[in-house]
Amino acid sequence: FIKIFSVKSSPLRMILTVHTKPNARENSLEWIDVDTLKVSVTAPAEKGKANKAVIEQLAQELHIAKTTIELIRGGTTRMKQFKIPTNV
């Protein structure tokens, strides 16, 4: 349900596809299907505030540091991909 790939000089990491919903009434996480997670955040979609809120929510849910989560695709769209360490 989460795709894994290997990069030469770095450890294995997961690619997590996330559908974001900024300006939601409350923060929440929900699996849409086996490949996609829906993350609703109360932060507005301006100046990266929603992206930061999504990273904070993922870090809290996965019990990892926010700095280990990297946004690799979709900085200004609702469909995003995050790189996450596999040791979660």
Side-chain angles (χ1 to χ4, degrees), residues 3-70:
K3 300 170 185 87
I4 299 176
F5 72 99
S6 173
V7 179
K8 256 186 183 172
S9 62
S10 68
L12 287 174
R13 299 204 181 255
M14 295 184 283
I15 300 296
L16 182 61
T17 301
V18 176
H19 175 80
T20 59
K21 183 180 178 191
N23 295 317
R25 278 188 233 162
E26 62 184 14
N27 293 330
S28 67
L29 291 139
E30 170 190 351
W31 285 101
I32 296 175
D33 58 33
V34 295
D35 291 330
T36 310
L37 181 66
K38 180 179 180 182
V39 179
S40 300
V41 293
T42 56
E46 59 184 34
K47 298 181 184 176
K49 291 178 185 175
N51 289 341
K52 287 180 184 177
V54 169
I55 290 172
E56 287 174 7
Q57 232 180 313
L58 288 173
Q60 184 178 10
E61 183 69 21
L62 298 172
H63 305 289
I64 59 175
K66 293 182 285 189
T67 56
T68 62
I69 300 173
E70 180 184 350

